[in-house]
Amino acid sequence: MIEKISKLRDTAIGRIKEAVSSTEVEELRVKLLGKKGELTEMLKDLKNMDIEERKQFGQEANALKNELTEIIEGKFKELSANDVKKSLSSGSNFDISLPGTNFKLGSLHPVTIVQKEIERIFTGMGFNIVDGPEAEEEFFNFEALNIPKHHPARDMQDTYWLENGSLLRTHTSPCQVRAMQKYGAPLKVIAPGRCFRNESTDASHENTFFQLEGMMIDKNVSIANLIYVMKLLLSEVFQRDVKIRLRPGFFPFVEPGFELDLNCMICGGKGCPTCKHSGWIELLPCGMVHPNVLRYGGIDPEEYTGFAFGLGLTRLAMMKYGISDIRVLNSGDLRAMEQFSVR
């Protein structure tokens, strides 16, 4: 058997050196070292040898395999270099002095850029990022958020229902309930994601958009904590002073509830289609978590309080980058998207 190894070695090396193309070398590699190659077939005889002969033959076979692999790789490099030389000396029209092909780099979507930035801000304040299904259960999307069946608040979230009884989530607030049930209190989480509502589109409304919901639950949490966190968030996002207003608002899952509006940064507060000529953009509904929502989450409202907020990532991206029409963000128009550099 050792003689067979030696004979195969001499024959194989000679055939590899005589190869004139990469295709021929590859065929030799398969014929010699492939699953049904000559060396592989020899190794099948190991089971019929005694221990000493098997040991010696195995060592010789492995050494040959490594040697042939190295020679084959060297031959591939040699033939590749020769192909380049032939191409350059063939008198073809290839001009190596010409500039290379200019490949355009991709870019992140502006909503993605804003989401990553906000995630960085909140994780720096000790918040965790949670996620949930886009095809949500009715319980988590409505009932666990203090919106029972036939409640008029459901009319505000005209909904896409699925045949199995689930629905496309209208906000990412269901993630908050899931987080309460899973982690309990104290709790600090944000839930970014895509949402869906069956509504007419205009410069500031879309049927598919992105939100980021947040929640903080602990002992003695107050509205003062909410205002501080919101001011810190907006100052970090815009890197400048922004004009905001806080006004009462009704949301079934918070009590009391507020609307945080941002002075329109498209028109500077003068009025435009984006802000419906009011000078303000409804940006951030917020408030203190309703006791019923805490109960659905398995948390005792007598012991813990908390605040919650919902931030429109899509609208925030519009304000940050001066995009006047929300429909641009879902249009797939590369002319609009390619201005955002990769980060």
Side-chain angles (χ1 to χ4, degrees):
M1 291 301 294
I2 300 301
E3 292 179 2
K4 286 186 178 181
I5 288 285
S6 178
K7 185 176 180 181
L8 177 60
R9 177 185 181 279
D10 295 337
T11 304
I13 293 176
R15 290 159 68 185
I16 295 170
K17 289 182 177 180
E18 293 173 0
V20 296
S21 68
S22 298
T23 302
E24 189 176 349
V25 175
E26 175 61 18
E27 290 176 353
L28 285 171
R29 185 194 67 77
V30 173
K31 190 172 183 179
L32 294 169
L33 306 177
K35 290 184 178 180
K36 297 183 179 180
E38 295 179 30
L39 183 58
T40 306
E41 291 296 324
M42 284 187 181
L43 289 172
K44 292 180 180 179
D45 292 332
L46 283 172
K47 62 180 182 294
N48 300 322
M49 301 178 187
D50 57 42
I51 296 176
E52 287 300 322
E53 188 178 8
R54 186 185 308 167
K55 182 178 179 181
Q56 184 180 4
F57 181 75
Q59 291 175 345
E60 293 289 339
N62 285 329
L64 177 58
K65 181 179 180 180
N66 293 335
E67 183 180 6
L68 293 181
T69 299
E70 185 176 345
I71 294 173
I72 288 172
E73 290 177 354
K75 190 65 175 180
F76 269 124
K77 292 180 181 178
E78 177 189 334
L79 291 173
S80 297
N82 289 339
D83 290 341
V84 173
K85 290 179 181 178
K86 288 179 182 178
S87 176
L88 294 176
S89 62
S90 63
S92 64
N93 294 326
F94 177 72
D95 186 352
I96 60 173
S97 65
L98 291 174
T101 303
N102 183 25
F103 293 101
K104 288 186 177 181
L105 293 176
S107 61
L108 292 177
H109 194 280
V111 173
T112 302
I113 296 173
V114 169
Q115 177 180 327
K116 288 180 177 292
E117 187 174 357
I118 293 178
E119 288 177 353
R120 176 187 60 80
I121 295 169
F122 274 107
T123 53
M125 291 191 285
F127 282 72
N128 292 315
I129 302 170
V130 296
D131 196 8
E134 292 183 351
E136 185 57 273
E137 297 177 27
E138 182 180 2
F139 170 79
F140 288 104
N141 198 81
F142 290 123
E143 291 164 4
L145 294 169
N146 203 35
I147 312 176
K149 290 183 183 296
H150 311 300
H151 193 289
R154 292 201 180 193
D155 295 337
M156 300 167 59
Q157 300 185 30
D158 201 0
T159 311
Y160 292 105
W161 291 93
L162 307 179
E163 292 182 355
N164 63 358
S166 298
L167 65 149
L168 297 183
R169 66 183 180 190
T170 59
H171 44 194
T172 57
S173 297
C175 300
Q176 299 175 354
V177 181
R178 292 178 179 273
M180 285 190 287
Q181 291 183 352
K182 184 175 182 178
Y183 302 111
L187 180 70
K188 290 197 294 185
V189 295
I190 56 172
R194 185 168 56 172
C195 306
F196 312 85
R197 292 185 188 176
N198 182 19
E199 60 180 313
S200 300
T201 60
D202 56 30
S204 59
H205 293 83
E206 254 282 21
N207 53 35
T208 302
F209 55 96
F210 288 82
Q211 279 189 342
L212 183 142
E213 307 279 343
M215 171 181 279
M216 176 178 175
I217 299 175
D218 209 333
K219 295 181 179 180
N220 302 317
V221 172
S222 67
I223 295 175
N225 301 117
L226 166 64
I227 294 173
Y228 174 80
V229 171
M230 295 302 98
K231 283 186 174 180
L232 178 61
L233 166 67
L234 293 175
S235 64
E236 287 285 330
V237 168
F238 291 100
Q239 293 295 302
R240 57 182 165 127
D241 291 333
V242 293
K243 187 177 180 181
I244 62 173
R245 70 180 183 184
L246 196 65
R247 56 188 172 86
F250 170 74
F251 305 98
F253 32 86
V254 291
E255 180 61 41
F258 306 97
E259 288 274 16
L260 189 149
D261 298 338
L262 178 70
N263 193 236
C264 182
M265 303 180 78
I266 303 297
C267 64
K270 296 178 181 179
C272 66
T274 303
C275 62
K276 295 183 178 179
H277 303 283
S278 68
W280 296 91
I281 291 287
E282 178 186 316
L283 183 67
L284 206 158
C286 54
M288 302 301 292
V289 180
H290 197 288
N292 288 345
V293 176
L294 291 174
R295 292 189 185 97
Y296 278 119
I299 295 174
D300 184 0
E302 299 296 328
E303 183 177 2
Y304 291 97
T305 57
F307 66 79
F309 60 90
L311 176 64
L313 288 175
T314 303
R315 290 186 180 178
L316 187 58
M318 292 173 66
M319 295 296 100
K320 184 175 177 66
Y321 295 110
I323 300 171
S324 60
D325 195 316
I326 192 173
R327 290 166 290 194
V328 171
L329 296 171
N330 285 347
S331 67
D333 189 341
L334 295 181
R335 294 173 300 176
M337 297 298 104
E338 66 186 4
Q339 62 184 298
F340 301 98
S341 59
V342 177
R343 299 187 183 184

